[in-house]
Amino acid sequence: MKVLALDTSNQPLSVAVMKDHQVLATTTVTTTKKHAAHLLPIINASMKAAQFEPEDLDRVIVADGPGSYTGIRVSVTAAKTLAETLHIELVGVSSLATIAANVPVEGQLVAVLFDGRNDNVFAGVYRIKNGAPENVIADQHIAFEKLLPQIKKLGEPVVVLGDLAAFKTRLDSQLKEHFISYPQENSLPSAVQLGRLGESLKPVTDINAFVPRYLRLTKAEADWQRQHPKEDNRDYVEKV
Amino acid sequence: MERNLILAFESSCDETSVSVVENGSKILSNIVATQIKSHQRFGGVVPEVASRHHIEQITDCIDLAMSKAGVGYSDLNAVAVTYGPGLVGALLIGVTAAKTVAYAHHLPLIPVNHMAGHIYAARYVKPIEFPSLALLVSGGHTELVYLAAPGKFEIIGETRDDAAGEAYDKIGRVLGINYPAGKEVDRLAHLGKDTFNFPRAMDDSESFDFSFSGLKSAFINTVHHADQIGETLNREDLAASFQAAVVDVLADKTVRALDAYPQVKQLILAGGVAANQGLRERLTAELQAFDSVEFVKAPLKLCGDNAAMIGAEAYVEYQQQHFGKLDLNADPSLEFDFMA
């Protein structure tokens, strides 16, 4: 299977071209803030390096969130447009699971945190099973202070990856010897891990309906739903 | 003539649109998914909500545009996209999708200025003749643009504060009319009389610039003052007075520009507010005095945001080989040059 994997869900941008689990080309850039400008040129260069034409692809795999809303939309838009217009398969993988997959230790608990501001995190906790992360605590947007006791309750050593700056002190004092930190590069998303996870997943059945997993409503939408609990909140867009 | 087919994208605000255009002059398909109902819940466009709707819609719109036009990717000559001005998150969906189609199907990419697209909606009425003058009036822009030659757009005057459409929405709110208020204010205006004599800002100045915030404030103050003394004002007359002031300023500046540029062959009226009946009627009357100027109004159906207008302008850029690269980014504050 010929695969293109894309992740622009946070500051790093990562692209990989793979064939039957073998990496043919991969690029990860941590310095760009312009994912929209750089994603297609990097896809183009990676595909050329792998000597693939777009129509050679069998599957596109995309890290579909959580993460920066604008960031995830860049690669999800590219991925769904490639898949729909080339009639190839599309697979979405959690951006948190993609990072958890950096840990190659079977049975290990791994927590991944993205800073969601105001002491909130986008987070998921996984156990590495048959080489792939499986959710132990579902991916969610949650106050860090609510998540921490849940991790503590697991009562096992846990590798914590992601944006740790604001949380390290509390992880240390609460989890004590159960808090395992890895060198920083293990918190970088790798499209190679993404591709590896996505190769064995089932493709989405409705590519047009595929959207990022934001894990959080916009403020406007959340306020509106609170004020209108009974309204059906779909069908707001109509083709005219 | 060889058949040229352009797949065009538009996602700068609250409409996701994809269109297939033949030779810049024939619409084979023009799919428009509008989010108005969604943003009406909030009284105006919420950018993050808009971006989320665009990504829900984008590939479905591509499929529909291609199938309705009855063409395949190998039939296309180019992909075109609005890259600004507009909401950055919204623009990025169209830009990313267009670049992806260009890459995946080996097609050149044509970046299009959204405002140039609005002007080229008039191309579906008749070919544009140069030099030409365009009055562009929308929710985000109010400008007079001089078109010396195909693909050349220069601003000779623009709003110094609110756009005309923005003023409509703001006074519409005061009248209890939900966004977008233009159509309803226009309807009310036709039932009332200009009794309030609101100010015509900058109307006696030499420049071709517009200003609408003074008018908006005068309107709001008048209504608030009446509220305070327990008086109810006639809504039709309020709407008529507001619209008369807007139309006076737009028409006077346009006439002055036509006087200043006597070589102009056409006056093009375009943009969302170009659908306003009061404005259309007034400019039609004013143009009686200009024998050599043809009045070309963008079709009502194409005044709002749509990709067909982008495809029409893109054909001009295609002929001039103005192609973009895969690193094209959205430019939310893109604007035409000012005339030197």
Side-chain angles (χ1 to χ4, degrees), chain A residues 36-37 47 53 55 69 73 77 80 84-85 208 216 218 221 224 236-240, chain B residues 32 34 38 41-42 48 51-52 55-57 59-60 63 73 92 96 99 103 105-106 327:
Chain A
M47 290 282 285
E53 289 295 329
E55 46 273 40
Y69 299 154
R73 277 193 292 264
T77 301
K80 71 189 275 196
E84 183 64 18
T85 72
N208 286 337
R216 199 184 177 198
T218 60
E221 193 83 50
W224 193 87
Y236 283 124
V237 182
E238 31 182 23
K239 304 223 171 44
V240 290
Chain B
V32 181
T34 179
S38 180
R41 294 177 295 164
F42 316 120
E48 175 61 22
S51 301
R52 291 188 181 196
I55 199 169
E56 288 161 17
Q57 295 292 325
T59 55
D60 190 35
D63 286 350
Y73 291 98
L92 281 177
T96 303
K99 290 200 296 184
Y103 166 70
H105 303 278
H106 312 279
D327 67 355

mmCIF file of all heavy atoms in Angstrom, chain A residues 36-37 47 53 55 69 73 77 80 84-85 208 216 218 221 224 236-240, chain B residues 32 34 38 41-42 48 51-52 55-57 59-60 63 73 92 96 99 103 105-106 327:
data_model
loop_
_atom_site.group_PDB
_atom_site.id
_atom_site.type_symbol
_atom_site.label_atom_id
_atom_site.label_comp_id
_atom_site.label_asym_id
_atom_site.label_seq_id
_atom_site.Cartn_x
_atom_site.Cartn_y
_atom_site.Cartn_z
ATOM 1 N N ALA A 36 -0.059 26.495 6.021
ATOM 2 C CA ALA A 36 -0.831 26.580 4.783
ATOM 3 C C ALA A 36 0.091 26.811 3.590
ATOM 4 O O ALA A 36 -0.140 26.289 2.506
ATOM 5 C CB ALA A 36 -1.865 27.694 4.876
ATOM 6 N N ALA A 37 1.142 27.595 3.798
ATOM 7 C CA ALA A 37 2.072 27.872 2.695
ATOM 8 C C ALA A 37 2.984 26.675 2.450
ATOM 9 O O ALA A 37 3.308 26.362 1.312
ATOM 10 C CB ALA A 37 2.903 29.117 3.012
ATOM 11 N N MET A 47 6.939 13.435 -2.168
ATOM 12 C CA MET A 47 6.418 12.518 -3.190
ATOM 13 C C MET A 47 7.441 12.348 -4.313
ATOM 14 O O MET A 47 7.650 11.237 -4.817
ATOM 15 C CB MET A 47 5.091 13.046 -3.742
ATOM 16 C CG MET A 47 3.941 12.979 -2.759
ATOM 17 S SD MET A 47 3.257 11.301 -2.599
ATOM 18 C CE MET A 47 2.355 11.199 -4.148
ATOM 19 N N GLU A 53 3.814 9.620 -8.159
ATOM 20 C CA GLU A 53 2.890 10.636 -8.652
ATOM 21 C C GLU A 53 1.661 10.590 -7.728
ATOM 22 O O GLU A 53 1.385 9.544 -7.133
ATOM 23 C CB GLU A 53 2.466 10.320 -10.093
ATOM 24 C CG GLU A 53 3.570 10.522 -11.127
ATOM 25 C CD GLU A 53 4.010 11.978 -11.247
ATOM 26 O OE1 GLU A 53 3.163 12.882 -11.040
ATOM 27 O OE2 GLU A 53 5.200 12.208 -11.515
ATOM 28 N N GLU A 55 -1.361 10.182 -8.279
ATOM 29 C CA GLU A 55 -2.316 9.112 -8.609
ATOM 30 C C GLU A 55 -1.795 7.717 -8.245
ATOM 31 O O GLU A 55 -2.547 6.742 -8.320
ATOM 32 C CB GLU A 55 -2.762 9.186 -10.082
ATOM 33 C CG GLU A 55 -1.660 9.385 -11.100
ATOM 34 C CD GLU A 55 -1.312 10.869 -11.342
ATOM 35 O OE1 GLU A 55 -1.282 11.649 -10.364
ATOM 36 O OE2 GLU A 55 -1.054 11.228 -12.500
ATOM 37 N N TYR A 69 -6.740 24.822 15.765
ATOM 38 C CA TYR A 69 -7.887 24.664 14.864
ATOM 39 C C TYR A 69 -7.485 24.927 13.410
ATOM 40 O O TYR A 69 -7.834 24.172 12.504
ATOM 41 C CB TYR A 69 -9.029 25.606 15.244
ATOM 42 C CG TYR A 69 -9.603 25.386 16.631
ATOM 43 C CD1 TYR A 69 -10.227 26.423 17.310
ATOM 44 C CD2 TYR A 69 -9.524 24.148 17.259
ATOM 45 C CE1 TYR A 69 -10.766 26.248 18.573
ATOM 46 C CE2 TYR A 69 -10.060 23.961 18.521
ATOM 47 C CZ TYR A 69 -10.676 25.014 19.183
ATOM 48 O OH TYR A 69 -11.214 24.828 20.433
ATOM 49 N N ARG A 73 -7.009 22.089 10.273
ATOM 50 C CA ARG A 73 -7.814 22.250 9.060
ATOM 51 C C ARG A 73 -6.955 22.237 7.797
ATOM 52 O O ARG A 73 -7.419 21.795 6.747
ATOM 53 C CB ARG A 73 -8.661 23.528 9.130
ATOM 54 C CG ARG A 73 -9.955 23.333 9.889
ATOM 55 C CD ARG A 73 -10.904 24.486 9.689
ATOM 56 N NE ARG A 73 -10.424 25.705 10.308
ATOM 57 C CZ ARG A 73 -10.780 26.129 11.517
ATOM 58 N NH1 ARG A 73 -11.626 25.432 12.244
ATOM 59 N NH2 ARG A 73 -10.299 27.252 11.996
ATOM 60 N N THR A 77 -8.001 19.471 5.254
ATOM 61 C CA THR A 77 -8.507 19.913 3.947
ATOM 62 C C THR A 77 -7.704 19.273 2.819
ATOM 63 O O THR A 77 -8.276 18.755 1.843
ATOM 64 C CB THR A 77 -8.437 21.450 3.827
ATOM 65 O OG1 THR A 77 -9.203 22.037 4.870
ATOM 66 C CG2 THR A 77 -8.981 21.927 2.488
ATOM 67 N N LYS A 80 -8.572 15.406 2.728
ATOM 68 C CA LYS A 80 -9.878 15.008 2.192
ATOM 69 C C LYS A 80 -10.000 15.377 0.723
ATOM 70 O O LYS A 80 -10.660 14.682 -0.050
ATOM 71 C CB LYS A 80 -11.056 15.467 3.076
ATOM 72 C CG LYS A 80 -11.395 16.923 3.113
ATOM 73 C CD LYS A 80 -12.457 17.219 4.209
ATOM 74 C CE LYS A 80 -13.885 16.994 3.709
ATOM 75 N NZ LYS A 80 -14.907 17.623 4.573
ATOM 76 N N GLU A 84 -10.774 12.480 -1.906
ATOM 77 C CA GLU A 84 -12.039 12.554 -2.638
ATOM 78 C C GLU A 84 -11.808 12.712 -4.143
ATOM 79 O O GLU A 84 -12.491 12.086 -4.948
ATOM 80 C CB GLU A 84 -12.895 13.698 -2.081
ATOM 81 C CG GLU A 84 -14.272 13.829 -2.721
ATOM 82 C CD GLU A 84 -15.184 12.633 -2.477
ATOM 83 O OE1 GLU A 84 -14.913 11.834 -1.552
ATOM 84 O OE2 GLU A 84 -16.178 12.498 -3.225
ATOM 85 N N THR A 85 -10.830 13.553 -4.527
ATOM 86 C CA THR A 85 -10.684 13.807 -5.964
ATOM 87 C C THR A 85 -9.826 12.754 -6.664
ATOM 88 O O THR A 85 -9.914 12.605 -7.881
ATOM 89 C CB THR A 85 -10.120 15.219 -6.263
ATOM 90 O OG1 THR A 85 -8.734 15.275 -5.923
ATOM 91 C CG2 THR A 85 -10.873 16.299 -5.504
ATOM 92 N N ASN A 208 -16.531 13.188 2.335
ATOM 93 C CA ASN A 208 -17.063 14.558 2.340
ATOM 94 C C ASN A 208 -17.464 15.009 3.738
ATOM 95 O O ASN A 208 -17.375 16.188 4.062
ATOM 96 C CB ASN A 208 -18.263 14.678 1.393
ATOM 97 C CG ASN A 208 -17.829 14.662 -0.061
ATOM 98 O OD1 ASN A 208 -16.683 14.975 -0.365
ATOM 99 N ND2 ASN A 208 -18.736 14.306 -0.952
ATOM 100 N N ARG A 216 -13.695 20.512 20.990
ATOM 101 C CA ARG A 216 -14.198 21.671 21.711
ATOM 102 C C ARG A 216 -15.070 22.495 20.781
ATOM 103 O O ARG A 216 -14.679 22.770 19.646
ATOM 104 C CB ARG A 216 -13.009 22.520 22.180
ATOM 105 C CG ARG A 216 -13.387 23.445 23.277
ATOM 106 C CD ARG A 216 -12.244 24.340 23.673
ATOM 107 N NE ARG A 216 -12.738 25.250 24.709
ATOM 108 C CZ ARG A 216 -12.147 26.368 25.043
ATOM 109 N NH1 ARG A 216 -11.031 26.730 24.450
ATOM 110 N NH2 ARG A 216 -12.658 27.137 25.966
ATOM 111 N N THR A 218 -16.851 25.936 19.431
ATOM 112 C CA THR A 218 -16.487 27.350 19.478
ATOM 113 C C THR A 218 -17.288 27.974 20.608
ATOM 114 O O THR A 218 -18.358 27.480 20.982
ATOM 115 C CB THR A 218 -16.870 28.066 18.169
ATOM 116 O OG1 THR A 218 -18.280 27.952 17.993
ATOM 117 C CG2 THR A 218 -16.172 27.442 16.972
ATOM 118 N N GLU A 221 -20.822 28.869 19.577
ATOM 119 C CA GLU A 221 -21.676 27.693 19.442
ATOM 120 C C GLU A 221 -22.060 27.147 20.825
ATOM 121 O O GLU A 221 -23.218 26.787 21.066
ATOM 122 C CB GLU A 221 -20.916 26.638 18.640
ATOM 123 C CG GLU A 221 -21.730 25.488 18.147
ATOM 124 C CD GLU A 221 -22.473 25.791 16.850
ATOM 125 O OE1 GLU A 221 -21.844 26.290 15.895
ATOM 126 O OE2 GLU A 221 -23.684 25.522 16.816
ATOM 127 N N TRP A 224 -24.575 29.430 22.434
ATOM 128 C CA TRP A 224 -25.875 29.311 21.755
ATOM 129 C C TRP A 224 -26.594 28.028 22.164
ATOM 130 O O TRP A 224 -27.784 28.030 22.432
ATOM 131 C CB TRP A 224 -25.670 29.360 20.237
ATOM 132 C CG TRP A 224 -26.959 29.565 19.503
ATOM 133 C CD1 TRP A 224 -27.550 30.750 19.196
ATOM 134 C CD2 TRP A 224 -27.827 28.548 19.016
ATOM 135 N NE1 TRP A 224 -28.734 30.542 18.555
ATOM 136 C CE2 TRP A 224 -28.933 29.212 18.423
ATOM 137 C CE3 TRP A 224 -27.791 27.154 19.024
ATOM 138 C CZ2 TRP A 224 -29.976 28.514 17.832
ATOM 139 C CZ3 TRP A 224 -28.833 26.462 18.437
ATOM 140 C CH2 TRP A 224 -29.921 27.140 17.853
ATOM 141 N N TYR A 236 -27.397 24.022 9.200
ATOM 142 C CA TYR A 236 -27.298 25.471 9.146
ATOM 143 C C TYR A 236 -26.685 25.942 7.841
ATOM 144 O O TYR A 236 -26.643 27.125 7.566
ATOM 145 C CB TYR A 236 -26.486 25.997 10.320
ATOM 146 C CG TYR A 236 -27.283 25.995 11.572
ATOM 147 C CD1 TYR A 236 -26.845 25.328 12.710
ATOM 148 C CD2 TYR A 236 -28.511 26.654 11.619
ATOM 149 C CE1 TYR A 236 -27.599 25.326 13.858
ATOM 150 C CE2 TYR A 236 -29.280 26.645 12.764
ATOM 151 C CZ TYR A 236 -28.819 25.986 13.881
ATOM 152 O OH TYR A 236 -29.574 25.977 15.012
ATOM 153 N N VAL A 237 -26.181 24.994 7.061
ATOM 154 C CA VAL A 237 -25.579 25.377 5.801
ATOM 155 C C VAL A 237 -26.454 24.824 4.690
ATOM 156 O O VAL A 237 -26.837 23.662 4.717
ATOM 157 C CB VAL A 237 -24.153 24.807 5.679
ATOM 158 C CG1 VAL A 237 -23.516 25.247 4.372
ATOM 159 C CG2 VAL A 237 -23.300 25.262 6.856
ATOM 160 N N GLU A 238 -26.812 25.679 3.731
ATOM 161 C CA GLU A 238 -27.657 25.187 2.645
ATOM 162 C C GLU A 238 -27.066 25.569 1.304
ATOM 163 O O GLU A 238 -26.489 26.632 1.138
ATOM 164 C CB GLU A 238 -29.095 25.686 2.783
ATOM 165 C CG GLU A 238 -29.204 27.032 3.427
ATOM 166 C CD GLU A 238 -30.626 27.516 3.604
ATOM 167 O OE1 GLU A 238 -31.558 26.694 3.634
ATOM 168 O OE2 GLU A 238 -30.798 28.735 3.711
ATOM 169 N N LYS A 239 -27.218 24.648 0.363
ATOM 170 C CA LYS A 239 -26.744 24.929 -0.991
ATOM 171 C C LYS A 239 -27.851 25.700 -1.701
ATOM 172 O O LYS A 239 -28.992 25.278 -1.698
ATOM 173 C CB LYS A 239 -26.415 23.625 -1.707
ATOM 174 C CG LYS A 239 -25.390 22.808 -0.907
ATOM 175 C CD LYS A 239 -24.332 22.211 -1.773
ATOM 176 C CE LYS A 239 -23.189 21.593 -0.975
ATOM 177 N NZ LYS A 239 -23.553 20.777 0.194
ATOM 178 N N VAL A 240 -27.473 26.832 -2.272
ATOM 179 C CA VAL A 240 -28.506 27.675 -2.907
ATOM 180 C C VAL A 240 -28.272 27.783 -4.410
ATOM 181 O O VAL A 240 -27.208 27.461 -4.885
ATOM 182 C CB VAL A 240 -28.537 29.085 -2.276
ATOM 183 C CG1 VAL A 240 -29.071 29.004 -0.865
ATOM 184 C CG2 VAL A 240 -27.160 29.728 -2.281
ATOM 185 N N VAL B 32 -23.010 26.917 -4.469
ATOM 186 C CA VAL B 32 -22.803 27.859 -3.368
ATOM 187 C C VAL B 32 -23.453 27.281 -2.108
ATOM 188 O O VAL B 32 -24.671 27.100 -2.071
ATOM 189 C CB VAL B 32 -23.419 29.246 -3.670
ATOM 190 C CG1 VAL B 32 -23.157 30.204 -2.510
ATOM 191 C CG2 VAL B 32 -22.869 29.822 -4.968
ATOM 192 N N THR B 34 -24.251 28.253 1.481
ATOM 193 C CA THR B 34 -24.247 29.456 2.321
ATOM 194 C C THR B 34 -24.465 29.110 3.788
ATOM 195 O O THR B 34 -25.248 28.234 4.129
ATOM 196 C CB THR B 34 -25.295 30.485 1.839
ATOM 197 O OG1 THR B 34 -25.230 31.608 2.727
ATOM 198 C CG2 THR B 34 -26.702 29.918 1.856
ATOM 199 N N SER B 38 -26.594 29.799 9.879
ATOM 200 C CA SER B 38 -25.789 29.500 11.048
ATOM 201 C C SER B 38 -25.376 30.787 11.765
ATOM 202 O O SER B 38 -25.546 30.929 12.974
ATOM 203 C CB SER B 38 -24.549 28.704 10.647
ATOM 204 O OG SER B 38 -23.761 28.409 11.773
ATOM 205 N N ARG B 41 -27.683 33.069 13.959
ATOM 206 C CA ARG B 41 -27.836 32.768 15.386
ATOM 207 C C ARG B 41 -27.013 33.722 16.244
ATOM 208 O O ARG B 41 -27.318 33.967 17.394
ATOM 209 C CB ARG B 41 -27.373 31.337 15.685
ATOM 210 C CG ARG B 41 -28.220 30.264 15.044
ATOM 211 C CD ARG B 41 -27.647 28.891 15.318
ATOM 212 N NE ARG B 41 -26.346 28.731 14.688
ATOM 213 C CZ ARG B 41 -25.485 27.752 15.003
ATOM 214 N NH1 ARG B 41 -25.777 26.898 15.966
ATOM 215 N NH2 ARG B 41 -24.337 27.655 14.371
ATOM 216 N N PHE B 42 -25.925 34.234 15.660
ATOM 217 C CA PHE B 42 -25.002 35.065 16.433
ATOM 218 C C PHE B 42 -25.079 36.541 16.038
ATOM 219 O O PHE B 42 -24.328 37.356 16.551
ATOM 220 C CB PHE B 42 -23.565 34.559 16.248
ATOM 221 C CG PHE B 42 -23.446 33.058 16.321
ATOM 222 C CD1 PHE B 42 -22.950 32.325 15.254
ATOM 223 C CD2 PHE B 42 -23.837 32.380 17.465
ATOM 224 C CE1 PHE B 42 -22.849 30.943 15.319
ATOM 225 C CE2 PHE B 42 -23.742 30.997 17.537
ATOM 226 C CZ PHE B 42 -23.250 30.259 16.463
ATOM 227 N N GLU B 48 -14.481 31.515 13.445
ATOM 228 C CA GLU B 48 -14.153 30.106 13.680
ATOM 229 C C GLU B 48 -15.314 29.201 13.242
ATOM 230 O O GLU B 48 -15.100 28.114 12.702
ATOM 231 C CB GLU B 48 -13.789 29.880 15.155
ATOM 232 C CG GLU B 48 -13.544 28.432 15.573
ATOM 233 C CD GLU B 48 -12.382 27.732 14.860
ATOM 234 O OE1 GLU B 48 -11.481 28.413 14.334
ATOM 235 O OE2 GLU B 48 -12.399 26.475 14.824
ATOM 236 N N SER B 51 -15.059 28.897 9.440
ATOM 237 C CA SER B 51 -14.005 27.965 9.010
ATOM 238 C C SER B 51 -14.477 26.523 9.157
ATOM 239 O O SER B 51 -14.216 25.675 8.300
ATOM 240 C CB SER B 51 -12.740 28.152 9.845
ATOM 241 O OG SER B 51 -12.272 29.470 9.733
ATOM 242 N N ARG B 52 -15.170 26.244 10.269
ATOM 243 C CA ARG B 52 -15.641 24.871 10.505
ATOM 244 C C ARG B 52 -16.675 24.454 9.461
ATOM 245 O O ARG B 52 -16.678 23.318 9.016
ATOM 246 C CB ARG B 52 -16.201 24.739 11.933
ATOM 247 C CG ARG B 52 -15.098 24.846 12.966
ATOM 248 C CD ARG B 52 -15.570 24.537 14.368
ATOM 249 N NE ARG B 52 -14.441 24.684 15.300
ATOM 250 C CZ ARG B 52 -14.426 24.194 16.528
ATOM 251 N NH1 ARG B 52 -15.459 23.539 16.996
ATOM 252 N NH2 ARG B 52 -13.369 24.366 17.301
ATOM 253 N N ILE B 55 -14.881 23.624 5.972
ATOM 254 C CA ILE B 55 -14.227 22.314 5.838
ATOM 255 C C ILE B 55 -15.266 21.188 5.760
ATOM 256 O O ILE B 55 -15.013 20.153 5.143
ATOM 257 C CB ILE B 55 -13.172 22.086 6.953
ATOM 258 C CG1 ILE B 55 -12.197 20.988 6.543
ATOM 259 C CG2 ILE B 55 -13.802 21.779 8.283
ATOM 260 C CD1 ILE B 55 -10.970 20.864 7.429
ATOM 261 N N GLU B 56 -16.449 21.399 6.354
ATOM 262 C CA GLU B 56 -17.530 20.410 6.218
ATOM 263 C C GLU B 56 -17.989 20.314 4.764
ATOM 264 O O GLU B 56 -18.400 19.267 4.299
ATOM 265 C CB GLU B 56 -18.772 20.841 7.035
ATOM 266 C CG GLU B 56 -18.650 20.741 8.536
ATOM 267 C CD GLU B 56 -19.709 21.611 9.253
ATOM 268 O OE1 GLU B 56 -20.717 22.018 8.622
ATOM 269 O OE2 GLU B 56 -19.504 21.888 10.433
ATOM 270 N N GLN B 57 -17.969 21.454 4.079
ATOM 271 C CA GLN B 57 -18.618 21.560 2.769
ATOM 272 C C GLN B 57 -17.700 21.334 1.575
ATOM 273 O O GLN B 57 -18.160 20.991 0.489
ATOM 274 C CB GLN B 57 -19.232 22.961 2.626
ATOM 275 C CG GLN B 57 -20.357 23.256 3.595
ATOM 276 C CD GLN B 57 -21.576 22.410 3.304
ATOM 277 O OE1 GLN B 57 -21.882 22.117 2.142
ATOM 278 N NE2 GLN B 57 -22.264 21.978 4.347
ATOM 279 N N THR B 59 -15.303 19.465 -0.009
ATOM 280 C CA THR B 59 -15.159 18.439 -1.061
ATOM 281 C C THR B 59 -16.504 18.075 -1.688
ATOM 282 O O THR B 59 -16.564 17.713 -2.856
ATOM 283 C CB THR B 59 -14.439 17.168 -0.550
ATOM 284 O OG1 THR B 59 -15.117 16.670 0.593
ATOM 285 C CG2 THR B 59 -12.988 17.460 -0.206
ATOM 286 N N ASP B 60 -17.569 18.208 -0.909
ATOM 287 C CA ASP B 60 -18.897 17.969 -1.470
ATOM 288 C C ASP B 60 -19.172 19.000 -2.573
ATOM 289 O O ASP B 60 -19.718 18.667 -3.633
ATOM 290 C CB ASP B 60 -19.939 18.076 -0.343
ATOM 291 C CG ASP B 60 -21.316 17.612 -0.785
ATOM 292 O OD1 ASP B 60 -21.382 16.659 -1.592
ATOM 293 O OD2 ASP B 60 -22.312 18.202 -0.333
ATOM 294 N N ASP B 63 -17.211 17.990 -5.695
ATOM 295 C CA ASP B 63 -17.886 16.887 -6.394
ATOM 296 C C ASP B 63 -19.084 17.393 -7.199
ATOM 297 O O ASP B 63 -19.265 17.038 -8.363
ATOM 298 C CB ASP B 63 -18.412 15.846 -5.390
ATOM 299 C CG ASP B 63 -17.294 15.004 -4.803
ATOM 300 O OD1 ASP B 63 -16.155 15.080 -5.304
ATOM 301 O OD2 ASP B 63 -17.576 14.269 -3.831
ATOM 302 N N TYR B 73 -11.334 15.755 -14.247
ATOM 303 C CA TYR B 73 -10.149 16.574 -13.954
ATOM 304 C C TYR B 73 -9.242 16.748 -15.168
ATOM 305 O O TYR B 73 -8.587 17.772 -15.323
ATOM 306 C CB TYR B 73 -9.385 16.001 -12.753
ATOM 307 C CG TYR B 73 -10.171 16.187 -11.479
ATOM 308 C CD1 TYR B 73 -10.948 15.157 -10.953
ATOM 309 C CD2 TYR B 73 -10.192 17.416 -10.839
ATOM 310 C CE1 TYR B 73 -11.715 15.340 -9.810
ATOM 311 C CE2 TYR B 73 -10.949 17.624 -9.695
ATOM 312 C CZ TYR B 73 -11.707 16.583 -9.190
ATOM 313 O OH TYR B 73 -12.467 16.788 -8.063
ATOM 314 N N LEU B 92 -8.265 30.012 3.996
ATOM 315 C CA LEU B 92 -7.318 28.896 3.968
ATOM 316 C C LEU B 92 -7.944 27.586 3.503
ATOM 317 O O LEU B 92 -7.256 26.742 2.937
ATOM 318 C CB LEU B 92 -6.682 28.699 5.352
ATOM 319 C CG LEU B 92 -5.563 29.679 5.687
ATOM 320 C CD1 LEU B 92 -5.058 29.448 7.101
ATOM 321 C CD2 LEU B 92 -4.413 29.558 4.685
ATOM 322 N N THR B 96 -6.205 25.928 0.388
ATOM 323 C CA THR B 96 -5.601 24.599 0.556
ATOM 324 C C THR B 96 -6.252 23.586 -0.389
ATOM 325 O O THR B 96 -5.555 22.780 -1.027
ATOM 326 C CB THR B 96 -5.709 24.131 2.020
ATOM 327 O OG1 THR B 96 -5.088 25.106 2.860
ATOM 328 C CG2 THR B 96 -5.032 22.786 2.228
ATOM 329 N N LYS B 99 -5.059 24.358 -4.009
ATOM 330 C CA LYS B 99 -3.663 23.940 -4.219
ATOM 331 C C LYS B 99 -3.575 22.423 -4.298
ATOM 332 O O LYS B 99 -2.799 21.871 -5.088
ATOM 333 C CB LYS B 99 -2.780 24.447 -3.068
ATOM 334 C CG LYS B 99 -2.590 25.949 -3.069
ATOM 335 C CD LYS B 99 -1.366 26.362 -2.262
ATOM 336 C CE LYS B 99 -1.470 26.030 -0.797
ATOM 337 N NZ LYS B 99 -0.289 26.544 -0.048
ATOM 338 N N TYR B 103 -2.182 20.315 -7.390
ATOM 339 C CA TYR B 103 -1.090 19.352 -7.236
ATOM 340 C C TYR B 103 -1.527 17.952 -7.693
ATOM 341 O O TYR B 103 -0.844 17.306 -8.498
ATOM 342 C CB TYR B 103 -0.615 19.310 -5.779
ATOM 343 C CG TYR B 103 0.251 18.106 -5.507
ATOM 344 C CD1 TYR B 103 1.538 18.022 -6.059
ATOM 345 C CD2 TYR B 103 -0.225 17.028 -4.768
ATOM 346 C CE1 TYR B 103 2.325 16.897 -5.864
ATOM 347 C CE2 TYR B 103 0.558 15.903 -4.569
ATOM 348 C CZ TYR B 103 1.825 15.836 -5.128
ATOM 349 O OH TYR B 103 2.596 14.722 -4.949
ATOM 350 N N HIS B 105 -3.852 16.904 -9.618
ATOM 351 C CA HIS B 105 -4.286 16.694 -10.991
ATOM 352 C C HIS B 105 -3.432 17.448 -12.005
ATOM 353 O O HIS B 105 -3.854 17.668 -13.144
ATOM 354 C CB HIS B 105 -5.781 17.028 -11.108
ATOM 355 C CG HIS B 105 -6.602 16.210 -10.170
ATOM 356 N ND1 HIS B 105 -7.001 14.921 -10.457
ATOM 357 C CD2 HIS B 105 -7.020 16.453 -8.898
ATOM 358 C CE1 HIS B 105 -7.656 14.428 -9.411
ATOM 359 N NE2 HIS B 105 -7.680 15.339 -8.460
ATOM 360 N N HIS B 106 -2.238 17.874 -11.570
ATOM 361 C CA HIS B 106 -1.224 18.445 -12.464
ATOM 362 C C HIS B 106 -1.751 19.663 -13.232
ATOM 363 O O HIS B 106 -1.650 19.736 -14.459
ATOM 364 C CB HIS B 106 -0.710 17.388 -13.452
ATOM 365 C CG HIS B 106 -0.346 16.094 -12.783
ATOM 366 N ND1 HIS B 106 0.852 15.903 -12.138
ATOM 367 C CD2 HIS B 106 -1.042 14.935 -12.622
ATOM 368 C CE1 HIS B 106 0.897 14.682 -11.621
ATOM 369 N NE2 HIS B 106 -0.251 14.076 -11.898
ATOM 370 N N ASP B 327 3.153 27.261 -2.769
ATOM 371 C CA ASP B 327 3.299 27.897 -1.455
ATOM 372 C C ASP B 327 2.355 29.098 -1.298
ATOM 373 O O ASP B 327 2.493 29.875 -0.356
ATOM 374 C CB ASP B 327 4.757 28.294 -1.192
ATOM 375 C CG ASP B 327 5.245 29.396 -2.123
ATOM 376 O OD1 ASP B 327 4.490 29.794 -3.041
ATOM 377 O OD2 ASP B 327 6.385 29.853 -1.944
#
